Every structure is written in C-alpha cells, then in structure tokens.
Amino acid sequence: MAAGSGTKTAGRLYDIVVFGASGFTGQFVVEEVARAAAGGEGQLCGGRLRWAVAGRSREKLRAVLERAAERLGKAAPGEEVGVLLCDVGDAGSLATMARQTRVVLNCVGPYRFFGEPVVEACVENGASCIDISGEPQFLEGMYLKYNEKAAEKGVYVVGSCGFDSIPADMGVLYTRDKLKGTLTAVESFLSVKSGPEGLGVHDGTWKSAVYGLADEDNLKKLRKQIGYAPVPVVGAKLKKRGFVFYSPEFKEYCITFMGSDGSVVKRTQRYLHSELQQTPVQYGAYVTLGGLGSVIKLMFMGMLFLLLVKFNFGRKLLTKYPKFFSGGYFSKEGPTQKQMDGTSFTMTFFGEGYSEGQDPQTGKPNVKICTEVKGPEPGYIATPIAMVQAALSLLEDAASLPKKGGVYSPGAAFSKTKLIDRLNKRGVEFSVISKPEV
C-alpha cells in the first residue's frame, strides 16, 4: 500500500468527504458518491464506502442528501452519511474536516480564490485531495507550493479530475497503450452535441475563464519560477495549426481548445518522461465548432470577451451578465435536467508514431491510430463520474499509484491504476476506432 492510503489513515471516520456539496456541481458529485456507495463500490474500504458531505449550511447539506436519495429512488438518505460544517474561510474547520477523511473531493471554485486553503488543510492533516479545476495557474501554483510537503506526508493532491481534463489526459495514455510501437504525437478533437433544448453551463466555469484569461502574464512568471525542464520532442514535430481551421475528417471548422487540457497533458508527459523514462508524447487540443456561422459568432463574442477581460470594469460586466456575453450558454442557473439529458461529448484522438523496432529519432512516423473517449453531458454528469472514480482509484488502487505522494496531474497519478476500466463501467467509454496498417 502506498503511504497515506494504508495504515496512516486507517483510523479515519470517512473514506471520502465532498466539500462544497451544496454548490451547483457539488450536488451532482454527492449523487455520484451516493450511487457508488449504493452500488457497493469502495469494497476495499472495509466493506462499504464511508462518506460525508461538508459545507457551510446544515440545512442545504441535508437538502442535497435528500435530493440524491430521491434521485437514486430511496426514501431517505442513509443515516450513515456524515454532515460536516466547514467554511473555506475558516482554517480550523478545514483542518477538522481533513483529519476525518482519507480523501477530500473539493468542489468549491473558482479555485484561484478558494482552492489553496483546502489543499493546505489536506496536506497538513494527511488527507489526499481531488479537484476539478480547469485553471492551470491554480494547478501549477499548488505544485510549486505543496509538492514536497505532500510527498513528505504521503498524500496525493490531484487536480483537474473532471472535464477538464480526465478524458484528454487519460485518453492520450490510452492511445499510447493501444498503439503497437511508440506513440510520439496526438491531436484531440472535442465535439459536444446537444439535444433540442440546447447547451447550458453554470457560470462558475465562466468566472474561472474570466479570471484565468485576465491573469495570463502571471502564469508565465509562475512557470519560470517552477523552472520546468523542457520536454524533448521525439519523432516528427507536431505541426501547430492556425487558431481556426477546417477539418476534412469532421467536415467542420475547429479551433484551438482554450481549456487546461494542453497544459495538463504536458505536465503528465513531463512526469512520465523524467520519472519513468517513458517516451513523451506531443499533444494538440482542438474543439469542433460546426459551420462558418458558428465561427463568425464565436469570433465576435471572443473578441468582445478578450477586450473586456483586460479591465476590472469589463470583468465585472462579464461576471454579472454571463448569459448575455456567452450567447446564452452560461447562466447563473446552470443547465436544466432536460438540457443535460440531451447533451453528450466525444473526444477523438488521432495518434501517430513508429512501429516496433523503428527508431523514433529517425525517419517519418509510420503508424497511426484513432481512438475516442465518449460520454454523457460533460460538466455535471461526466465530471462527477470522473471525480468519484479518481477518488476510488486513490483509495483502492493504492499499490499502483506513484511511489511517493505529491501534487500530480491525473495521468501522472493514475497511469498504472484501473481508472480507465472504472470510467468505462460508468459510461465514460474509451475505445479504439481504427488502427491503419503500417
């Protein structure tokens, strides 16, 4: 057993605590933990999954548990689920929470404002911590500040365990494992399809984007401070595409994906190369848009967004009126159940590399592979699934985790665990589409 997963935390009351359980995303994470517990997952945790919800209001937490029970077809939430009162502004309450559990699922964002106190409490008090941040500055800042301490304490802090970036990061590793030979480059294309009700996203994600783009210069400074070793380019160099381009494969226009996937995959590849001497994979992330009309609409909204995000006044406008500035996609209410039921995603990976016995340092890539990850609505169905299965991997696949604790990206933490099998069973499905011959 890895440190921190075994004896050290064996005496703890809970296996999992969902912090921020009554928030918009938190309520869906609670439902997913309840489903895992009801389905007998967490067997290795001594027979049944022991879990709790945490947040500021006892009434709201009880209401969330009742909603989850109702959605699972139960009369009432089980008495065994703990309710912890805890506030991100109260370090003592965070420490008390962290001392009682093996893993904290942190659902309180934007993480750049509220994430660090939770990481600190977990590391200081010997609990592992998982979040669903899509904010590179937060993720990499936590690595800089807490990696060594987490390693000392034998705990794992794993960021971006939702949608950003589990499908991308684990998808690249899956593609690598399915290619006979050496994978050297991958491009992923995300397509989100919605039903007649359209798409909806809660404005928490919008806020993270507003503050993230406003602060890009500081991300560059942070990376200098960390002093990353450059990741060597193995094989033919992956061509950079223009910001907007037409894809003959999808018969749609595509743009560079603006989320954290690129930076998360790069951190994983750097870790696997430097720590495990694996061949690093180059990566490009894109998203399909549709026809020319969608491109023009997005360009217009994007320019307005980038202009406003530079000024304090502009940021206030953007966060106050998300629906208006996002063309109706982002709202303070979040998506309706009907919108979520009608939405799904597919992430397609085009990989290339060198067949067994071919030296990747010479000549052109001579093998290709196409894989995909597909699943339900990304933000509030697939994300909770990914987050909860990541937590179960920390708890149950302890022998397959990196030898020492630390701050990790998902692929670095879970490359040897059963996470992909777990996700497949819960409807986030990884598959090989084609393996063209050499």
Side-chain angles (χ1 to χ4, degrees):
M1 273 249 168
S5 331
T7 47
K8 222 188 281 182
T9 53
R12 302 199 169 206
L13 206 50
Y14 304 111
D15 300 307
I16 290 174
V17 170
V18 182
F19 177 53
S22 57
F24 190 80
T25 307
Q27 61 182 335
F28 297 107
V29 174
V30 168
E31 191 185 316
E32 193 55 35
V33 177
R35 193 174 282 117
E41 291 182 59
Q43 289 298 343
L44 299 183
C45 308
R48 64 189 174 84
L49 197 62
R50 303 161 308 152
W51 64 288
V53 291
R56 287 181 302 194
S57 153
R58 192 178 295 277
E59 289 69 38
K60 282 185 182 169
L61 293 170
R62 294 299 322 168
V64 162
L65 287 174
E66 273 160 26
R67 175 190 176 275
E70 195 181 304
R71 301 254 309 172
L72 268 66
K74 292 185 163 177
E79 283 307 304
E80 73 280 0
V81 182
V83 176
L84 309 177
L85 288 184
C86 186
D87 187 331
V88 76
D90 175 354
S93 72
L94 292 176
T96 305
M97 168 181 74
R99 278 196 291 271
Q100 296 182 66
T101 188
R102 294 166 68 192
V103 182
V104 169
L105 300 189
N106 182 15
C107 304
V108 181
Y111 291 93
R112 68 166 52 242
F113 300 134
F114 307 118
E116 183 173 347
V118 182
V119 172
E120 187 176 14
C122 286
V123 171
E124 292 294 337
N125 295 284
S128 288
C129 180
I130 283 178
D131 70 53
I132 45 179
S133 169
E135 305 164 48
Q137 198 176 341
F138 167 73
L139 296 163
E140 295 175 46
M142 293 305 95
Y143 172 80
L144 181 64
K145 278 179 107 165
Y146 296 100
N147 186 48
E148 281 172 22
K149 191 81 185 266
E152 262 167 51
K153 295 270 192 174
V155 300
Y156 298 88
V157 176
V158 194
S160 48
C161 286
F163 190 95
D164 297 11
S165 295
I166 288 239
D169 205 12
M170 300 309 292
V172 170
L173 298 183
Y174 176 83
T175 308
R176 178 198 72 180
D177 294 344
K178 293 296 176 193
L179 182 82
K180 284 199 167 36
T182 308
L183 183 74
T184 56
V186 174
E187 290 184 321
S188 72
F189 289 81
L190 168 65
S191 301
V192 179
K193 295 283 175 267
S194 57
E197 301 280 324
L199 268 182
V201 190
H202 187 255
D203 80 325
T205 305
W206 177 257
K207 281 184 187 144
S208 301
V210 170
Y211 297 117
L213 277 168
D215 212 11
E216 270 196 314
D217 293 350
N218 284 328
L219 180 57
K220 289 186 185 117
K221 282 181 203 151
L222 175 69
R223 285 176 174 163
K224 271 212 179 84
Q225 233 179 316
I226 294 172
Y228 287 129
V231 183
V233 171
V234 176
K237 193 164 166 46
L238 186 61
K239 285 187 184 67
K240 271 242 185 300
R241 293 176 181 262
F243 184 68
V244 179
F245 58 94
Y246 183 77
S247 158
E249 290 93 356
F250 295 98
K251 299 187 174 43
E252 284 186 41
Y253 284 92
C254 303
I255 59 165
T256 301
F257 180 66
M258 302 290 282
S260 60
D261 292 355
S263 63
V264 170
V265 169
K266 193 163 191 178
R267 283 173 56 215
T268 292
Q269 293 304 322
R270 179 182 284 111
Y271 170 83
L272 296 175
H273 172 68
S274 61
E275 298 294 319
L276 307 180
Q277 286 68 59
Q278 295 176 1
T279 304
V281 179
Q282 305 167 64
Y283 177 65
Y286 304 99
V287 57
T288 65
L289 273 190
L292 207 50
S294 308
V295 175
I296 293 164
K297 184 178 166 187
L298 183 91
M299 286 300 199
F300 176 72
M301 279 170 16
M303 283 180 336
L304 188 61
F305 186 91
L306 290 172
L307 181 73
L308 289 172
V309 93
K310 289 187 168 66
F311 308 101
N312 195 16
F313 163 73
R315 291 194 288 277
K316 281 197 175 117
L317 273 181
L318 287 168
T319 52
K320 197 171 177 186
Y321 303 108
K323 208 163 188 171
F324 177 77
F325 287 106
S326 68
Y329 287 124
F330 292 86
S331 69
K332 294 185 189 301
E333 304 76 49
T336 63
Q337 190 60 49
K338 267 192 173 157
Q339 281 179 317
M340 292 194 295
D341 293 342
T343 304
S344 62
F345 80 89
T346 305
M347 202 176 244
T348 309
F349 298 83
F350 296 101
E352 61 174 34
Y354 295 75
S355 56
E356 284 160 333
Q358 279 290 113
D359 179 3
Q361 301 294 15
T362 58
K364 284 193 168 127
N366 65 340
V367 279
K368 286 185 171 183
I369 184 170
C370 175
T371 63
E372 77 175 17
V373 180
K374 62 179 194 199
E377 187 280 330
Y380 313 102
I381 304 179
T383 285
I385 290 170
M387 190 182 208
V388 172
Q389 295 307 321
L392 290 168
S393 275
L394 276 186
L395 293 167
E396 299 194 335
D397 306 343
S400 311
L401 295 171
K403 291 280 178 285
K404 57 177 200 249
V407 178
Y408 290 97
S409 56
F414 301 122
S415 70
K416 295 183 171 168
T417 66
K418 298 193 186 78
L419 179 57
I420 289 176
D421 298 342
R422 295 174 186 283
L423 292 168
N424 274 326
K425 286 194 186 107
R426 285 291 300 116
V428 175
E429 295 165 12
F430 291 68
S431 61
V432 175
I433 302 302
S434 68
K435 290 184 179 177
E437 292 308 304
V438 176

